[in-house]
Amino acid sequence: MPLKIYKPIFDMRSNYLISTLVVLASLFSCDNDDDAVADPVIRLEIQDNSSQVIDSVLANGETLVVLKARISSSADDDIQMIEFNKSAGDFLGIAGATTTRPVNDEGIASITVKVPNKVERLFFNAKVSFAGKDYIAEDDLETYRAYPDQIIIEPSTVSVVIPGTVVLTTFLVRNDGIVSEGTEAQFSAYQVIDKERVAVGRFTG
């Protein structure tokens, strides 16, 4: 029986594709390395009232946080003001979603923000412009729900003739700030019969 010899077949297109991918990967790697060592023109951080950097805060409508922006030493010395922007909350003593603050001798500008009582992620940025370009630093803050420390119920009457209606006005109270928007209160009505709770009535509205 004759011996068959099979010759390997090379797909030059596959080799070309692999080479191309290797070259592209090298180019992207070089770009990322350059970005990693670059000194940002402006940096932004969020601090609490003790100057500690934070990433979350209580949504009680009263908590204050400080946005602190720092200009790089390599930036233009003529930068005198930094623009601050926010997605929600209030700049302390300043109306609007945008404001500017002067840069001090250390290249720092700061602004205080009152956190709202709505549970949502807050977004902030600080911006400077020089040499025809805008430079922006961004940061965000997660908020968590402020629950009540006390629940006060005021009925429209202390006695009712059955069948009858009683309106319950409910207050959710906190010792600091206010309860977060959207916080729910659950109600139940019952009588105690033979030391057992028996549900009564029907809630409407």
Side-chain angles (χ1 to χ4, degrees):
M1 179 177 180
L3 180 62
K4 294 183 179 181
I5 300 176
Y6 296 92
K7 295 183 180 180
I9 300 175
F10 295 98
D11 189 340
M12 296 305 294
R13 291 174 299 175
S14 299
N15 290 340
Y16 173 76
L17 177 60
I18 293 174
S19 300
T20 303
L21 291 176
V22 171
V23 172
L24 289 175
S26 299
L27 290 175
F28 282 119
S29 176
C30 292
D31 288 343
N32 290 336
D33 290 343
D34 290 341
D35 292 341
V37 300
D39 184 19
V41 171
I42 183 171
R43 297 177 184 271
L44 176 65
E45 62 184 24
I46 306 171
Q47 300 180 348
D48 60 15
N49 56 9
S50 61
S51 299
Q52 298 298 310
V53 176
I54 57 174
D55 56 15
S56 63
V57 68
L58 188 66
N60 67 352
E62 293 292 335
T63 300
L64 302 178
V65 298
V66 177
L67 308 181
K68 179 175 286 188
R70 182 186 300 272
I71 300 298
S72 168
S73 58
S74 61
D76 194 328
D77 292 337
D78 291 335
I79 296 177
Q80 302 296 322
M81 304 291 289
I82 294 179
E83 177 185 302
F84 290 93
N85 297 278
K86 58 179 176 57
S87 62
D90 296 306
F91 289 125
L92 204 60
I94 302 173
T98 300
T99 188
T100 56
R101 301 296 292 172
V103 178
N104 64 18
D105 294 339
E106 297 178 345
I108 297 173
S110 61
I111 185 73
T112 301
V113 177
K114 180 186 289 188
V115 176
N117 72 316
K118 186 176 181 180
V119 180
E120 60 181 344
R121 184 176 291 276
L122 306 177
F123 298 92
F124 306 97
N125 70 51
K127 183 176 76 173
V128 294
S129 301
F130 75 91
K133 293 183 178 180
D134 291 337
Y135 297 87
I136 300 175
E138 300 177 327
D139 206 348
D140 59 83
L141 194 62
E142 188 70 39
T143 62
Y144 55 93
R145 187 168 301 279
Y147 289 98
D149 296 307
Q150 185 180 8
I151 299 177
I152 301 173
I153 299 177
E154 292 185 355
S156 58
T157 180
V158 294
S159 62
V160 62
V161 177
I162 298 176
T165 301
V166 178
V167 178
L168 302 178
T169 302
T170 307
F171 301 90
L172 308 182
V173 182
R174 283 187 55 82
N175 296 331
D176 61 315
I178 57 179
V179 174
S180 294
E181 178 182 327
T183 301
E184 297 182 349
Q186 296 182 346
F187 297 87
S188 62
Y190 60 87
Q191 288 181 325
V192 179
I193 301 175
D194 295 331
K195 299 181 180 181
E196 295 290 335
R197 291 185 177 185
V198 179
V200 296
R202 179 173 60 89
F203 291 99
T204 61

